[in-house]
Amino acid sequence: MMQTSLDDLSLVLGEIALFRGLSPAIVGDIARSSQVLSLPKGSVIYAAGDRPRGLYHVMSGHLKVAVSSPDGGEKVIEILSPRQIFGVAELFGDAPYMSSVETVTPVVLLAVGRDGVYRAIEQDVGVSRRMLGAMAERQSSIERDIAADCFQSGTAKVVDYLVRLAGPALGQVSDVLLELEIPKHVLAARLGFTPETLSRIFRELADGGLIHVHGKQVTLMAKFVRQHGPEDAHRNARPAPRRPLRQDAGWFERAAPATGASLTAWG
C-alpha cells in the first residue's frame, strides 16, 4: 500500500469517470475509504471464493481475470488495462467472486471500499446511473467475446484485438505503433490459443504486409488500416514501405530459410 494523502486521493478520484463531477464533500468521503496499491507482477487482487470488499481502478499496468477448473486448468477471460474499473457488479450481490484477478505486470491500483461506494450512491443518484453504465459496458464486452469465441477464426480474433488496442488512432494515421505489454502466453490464453498458434498468426499477418513486428512493438501497416480501420481512414491512409522482420524479434522469430516457415515461441 502506498501512503497517499486524502487530498491526493480526492484528485485521483476526480479524474475517474465514475466519480467525476461529484461534490468535493462526496469525493472526500470516498477518499477516506480508498487506498493506492503498488503491486509487483504475480500479485493476487482477489481469488475465486473471496467476498467482494470494494471496486478497483487500474492506474497503470495490466491484470488478468481468470477462472479455474477443479483439475487446475485456467481460462483467461479478460485482460484489464489502465483506466479500466473492475469489481463493480460484484459489490451489489452476496455471492463470492467466481473469478480471480492477478497482475501480469507491475500494477498501480486505486481500491475503493464498499462502504465508501454505498455512501456515495446514497448522496448522489448519478453515481448509481454511472455504475449501471459500467456494468452494461462490461456485459456488452462479455457478449462480444462469447460471439468471437463462437464465430470468429483465430486470425479474426487477433485482428479484433489489435483494432481494439489501437483505438481511435486507427482512423487518424496510416501506420499505428502498438506496444504489447502483456506476456505472450497470457494474450494467447485470453484468445484461446497456444502461444505457438498465436506466433503463427502474427507471422501470417506480417507475411501478408498487414503488420510489422519488432520485439513487443507491432506496427499496423497502411494495408491493415485500409482493411480494418474506419471508412474515412481507408481514404486517408498512405502506403508505407514494409520493413523486414529482424532475427531478434521478441514476439516471434523467422526460422532460417532451410527450415521453412516454422516459428519459435517468444517467451
Side-chain angles (χ1 to χ4, degrees):
M1 180 178 68
M2 298 175 60
Q3 295 298 321
T4 310
S5 69
L6 284 177
D7 288 342
D8 288 341
L9 284 170
S10 296
L11 289 174
V12 174
L13 286 163
E15 294 299 317
I16 299 174
L18 204 59
F19 305 117
R20 190 178 300 135
L22 298 178
S23 71
I26 296 177
V27 173
D29 190 29
I30 300 171
R32 283 186 281 274
S33 297
S34 304
Q35 57 183 319
V36 175
L37 306 174
S38 181
L39 304 167
K41 175 182 176 180
S43 300
V44 176
I45 309 306
Y46 56 74
D50 290 350
R51 292 285 175 177
R53 295 180 296 173
L55 59 83
Y56 305 86
H57 171 76
V58 185
M59 299 174 67
S60 66
H62 298 269
L63 309 94
K64 66 176 180 180
V65 183
V67 292
S68 299
S69 63
D71 61 1
E74 181 183 73
K75 167 63 176 175
V76 178
I77 59 176
E78 188 175 6
I79 299 294
L80 298 166
S81 303
R83 295 180 297 280
Q84 283 189 273
I85 288 180
F86 63 98
V88 176
E90 291 86 347
L91 285 182
F92 300 97
D94 294 327
Y97 291 115
M98 295 295 296
S99 60
S100 62
V101 176
E102 179 181 334
T103 64
V104 296
T105 67
V107 162
V108 178
L109 288 178
L110 176 69
V112 182
R114 179 201 293 256
D115 291 343
V117 174
Y118 280 6
R119 289 196 299 270
I121 290 173
E122 292 171 356
Q123 297 177 70
D124 192 320
V125 68
V127 177
S128 296
R129 290 196 294 267
R130 294 176 187 181
M131 290 194 172
L132 287 171
M135 288 187 281
E137 183 177 343
R138 179 174 174 82
Q139 177 69 20
S140 296
S141 177
I142 291 171
E143 292 177 0
R144 181 180 64 237
D145 291 339
I146 291 173
D149 285 340
C150 292
F151 304 118
Q152 283 187 328
S153 67
T155 299
K157 290 181 184 180
V158 173
V159 167
D160 184 59
Y161 173 80
L162 294 174
V163 167
R164 281 191 272 170
L165 189 62
L170 194 62
Q172 297 172 1
V173 294
S174 58
D175 293 353
V176 181
L177 180 63
L178 305 176
E179 186 80 18
L180 301 178
E181 299 180 1
I182 61 175
K184 183 189 73 170
H185 71 278
V186 176
L187 177 56
R190 173 64 190 88
L191 297 176
F193 308 143
T194 64
E196 293 75 20
T197 297
L198 184 57
S199 291
R200 175 182 58 77
I201 293 172
F202 268 84
R203 168 70 177 278
E204 291 172 352
L205 292 172
D207 286 347
L210 293 169
I211 66 175
H212 169 75
V213 180
H214 176 60
K216 290 188 176 183
Q217 291 184 334
V218 175
T219 301
L220 308 184
M221 308 302 285
K223 183 177 179 180
F224 185 103
V225 175
R226 289 195 300 271
Q227 292 186 12
H228 304 291
E231 289 299 322
D232 56 348
H234 297 178
R235 295 189 295 270
N236 296 331
R238 300 184 300 276
R242 178 169 173 254
R243 292 161 288 183
L245 290 173
R246 292 173 55 96
Q247 287 275 340
D248 59 352
W251 272 69
F252 62 79
E253 299 174 357
R254 184 185 296 276
T259 64
S262 62
L263 290 170
T264 57
W266 71 83

